[in-house]
Amino acid sequence: MNKTRAIALAFTLSALSSLSLAVVYVKGGEAQLEGALLGVALGGVSVGLILWAKRLMPHGPDTQARAVTPPQAAERPEAAEAFEEGAGRIGRRRFLGRMLAVAIGAFGVAAVVPIRSLGGRPDGLLSHTSWRRGSRAVTDDGNPVLAADLPVNTVLTVYPEGAPGSADSQTLLIRLPAGDYHPLPGRADWAPGDIVGFSKVCTHAGCPVGLYRADSQELYCPCHQSIFEVLEACRPSAGPATRPLPQLPLAVDADGYVIAQGDFPEPIGPGFWTREHK
């Protein structure tokens, strides 16, 4: 294959792969296909540049003795041929330069989509859940929870009304034996009828804390075996977690349903780069 054509083909393949990658991004993405197209896009530019350097660029050093006398008539055809060959090289370089620019430009188009998807920092998204003042606690099938129906020493996973199944709002409701719970300062009215609510998202790695041991009143995270003391505002007593499970301030409305007084007072789950430690 002609040297110039081989290089142009490599740049063309790269450009087509980059444009196809942009289309895949826009349509929702597919990891394996994205990886293959990205490899062809980058590989095409690399192969083209290597071929260009090896096959078309001069390899020197080249030396030529300086003529001390004007060229003879017999040498003129050779000089004209050399001039035309040089002009051809310049045109070929210009063409390949344009093809390289097209390949790089197409890759830039493909890169716009993932760069735009980075967006701003998700500060607000990570700092708040769907719980609001007056939100009724509902089960995963949307049924509101009556405070009087909660048995003692059992755990129930609930969500704010209107957001059943919400990953960041999932909360554990536990009715403790009367008199066992001693609230932290400032939380005296957070546990109506000895019902407490804690985030179900582990503060270590974000796994769901779903195991409750009633005789010791401890919550267990099954992923990495963190243990939280319910009677001590879910202070971690073992395992890798270092922060208590955030407590949801609760109340009971006029109809006897469990409601929230507001959102969690601090971000749920693992820490992140802008979270303020309390």
Side-chain angles (χ1 to χ4, degrees), residues 3-239:
K3 298 174 183 177
T4 304
R5 288 182 180 178
I7 299 170
L9 177 61
F11 291 154
T12 302
L13 285 176
S14 174
L16 292 176
S17 296
S18 294
L19 295 177
S20 300
L21 181 59
V23 173
V24 173
Y25 278 146
V26 171
K27 289 189 174 182
E30 202 284 314
Q32 293 181 339
L33 182 57
E34 290 171 12
L37 291 172
L38 181 61
V40 175
L42 295 176
V45 172
S46 301
V47 169
L49 290 175
I50 292 172
L51 291 177
W52 194 346
K54 283 185 169 293
R55 298 186 178 181
L56 297 183
M57 297 298 288
H59 300 278
D62 295 325
T63 58
Q64 184 177 12
R66 184 177 180 180
V68 295
T69 57
Q72 303 298 317
E75 297 175 342
R76 290 178 182 175
E78 183 180 354
E81 183 179 352
F83 178 79
E84 292 176 358
E85 183 181 353
R89 287 180 181 178
I90 293 174
R92 185 171 54 200
R93 289 176 184 176
R94 185 179 294 116
F95 168 70
L96 291 178
R98 289 173 179 172
M99 293 301 299
L100 177 60
V102 169
I104 294 176
F107 186 78
V109 171
V112 167
V113 179
I115 290 174
R116 287 191 62 187
S117 68
L118 295 177
R121 297 193 308 182
D123 295 349
L125 179 65
L126 296 176
S127 299
H128 302 284
T129 71
S130 298
W131 289 103
R132 299 290 182 270
R133 183 178 181 82
S135 297
R136 279 184 172 175
V138 300
T139 57
D140 57 1
D141 53 5
N143 293 320
V145 177
L146 277 169
D149 289 346
L150 282 174
V152 175
N153 259 341
T154 59
V155 64
L156 177 67
T157 299
V158 297
Y159 306 89
E161 192 172 30
S166 172
D168 61 352
S169 303
Q170 53 186 328
T171 301
L172 297 170
L173 283 189
I174 305 173
R175 180 191 288 280
L176 297 170
D180 279 9
Y181 183 63
H182 301 287
L184 296 178
R187 301 184 181 185
D189 62 343
W190 286 21
D194 296 299
I195 300 172
V196 293
F198 293 98
S199 171
K200 191 175 180 177
V201 184
C202 183
T203 53
H204 168 235
C207 297
V209 180
L211 303 177
Y212 177 58
R213 185 173 178 179
D215 58 351
S216 60
Q217 293 165 317
E218 295 171 324
L219 284 168
Y220 288 74
C221 178
C223 290
H224 305 96
Q225 291 75 52
S226 290
I227 302 175
F228 300 91
E229 303 292 332
V230 175
L231 297 184
E232 299 178 38
C234 277
R235 174 185 62 82
S237 59

